[in-house]
Amino acid sequence: MAKKQYRPEGKHSHQPRKEKPRTLPTIRFAFSRLDIGGRWSFRALRHDDVLLLCAKLPVLATFTWQQLVEQGSHRVETARLTRAANERLRDLGLDDFDELYSLRLEGGPRIWGPVVEGVLEMVWWDPLHEICPTLPR
């Protein structure tokens, strides 16, 4: 008769924990394309803007892309952006993107950038919602 092998169970188990698979990926951010010299530069952040970003970005990083859409974030074709925004894209060498993502933080403030392989590559800080203003209804 063969011996039974001892298999630890519970919290002392040496087997790797199985994590629940996520059905939709959460947002990730990249900072390598930040515009630091233009009209919507991240250098223009005020103290209150920094506090808003510090409060919002960690929370938004837990959201799926669908949840972001449900709270007002969305893709925008670059042809719909203002002339100044398209000129700045050209200056930055980013005019080959057909669309950018508008990440809504609250009310007016937005972060703009392309989404590449599921990562929002942040380019602009738009506190007054100027890059692609909402048309009056």
Side-chain angles (χ1 to χ4, degrees):
M1 183 166 170
K3 276 184 152 180
K4 279 189 172 179
Q5 289 186 331
Y6 173 71
R7 293 187 182 166
E9 294 178 9
K11 66 181 182 178
H12 300 289
S13 174
H14 298 290
Q15 297 174 2
R17 286 183 19 203
K18 293 181 183 176
E19 294 189 27
K20 294 180 181 178
R22 295 184 179 162
T23 56
L24 295 171
T26 56
I27 188 172
R28 292 178 296 146
F29 303 104
F31 303 90
S32 60
R33 294 187 193 261
L34 290 180
D35 185 354
I36 55 171
R39 179 175 177 180
W40 302 289
S41 166
F42 275 84
R43 282 191 179 179
L45 287 169
R46 297 170 306 154
H47 178 73
D48 289 346
D49 299 332
V50 173
L51 294 176
L52 175 66
L53 289 173
C54 289
K56 291 287 187 169
L57 289 179
V59 174
L60 293 175
T62 67
F63 282 31
T64 65
W65 288 98
Q66 182 59 42
Q67 288 170 319
L68 290 174
V69 168
E70 290 167 3
Q71 65 93 29
S73 299
H74 55 94
R75 295 177 186 271
V76 177
E77 293 177 7
T78 54
R80 292 188 47 216
L81 304 182
T82 62
R83 179 178 295 164
N86 275 291
E87 288 172 2
R88 187 62 183 158
L89 283 175
R90 195 168 30 261
D91 293 346
L92 296 170
L94 300 174
D95 55 332
D96 55 334
F97 288 101
D98 294 327
E99 63 183 22
L100 295 182
Y101 200 80
S102 170
L103 180 66
R104 181 178 185 268
L105 299 179
E106 65 179 28
R110 304 287 193 271
I111 291 175
W112 287 85
V115 175
V116 178
E117 296 182 13
V119 177
L120 175 59
E121 297 187 356
M122 299 192 307
V123 176
W124 290 321
W125 167 244
D126 182 15
L128 303 176
H129 200 254
E130 299 174 310
I131 291 171
C132 184
T134 305
L135 297 173
R137 292 180 189 209

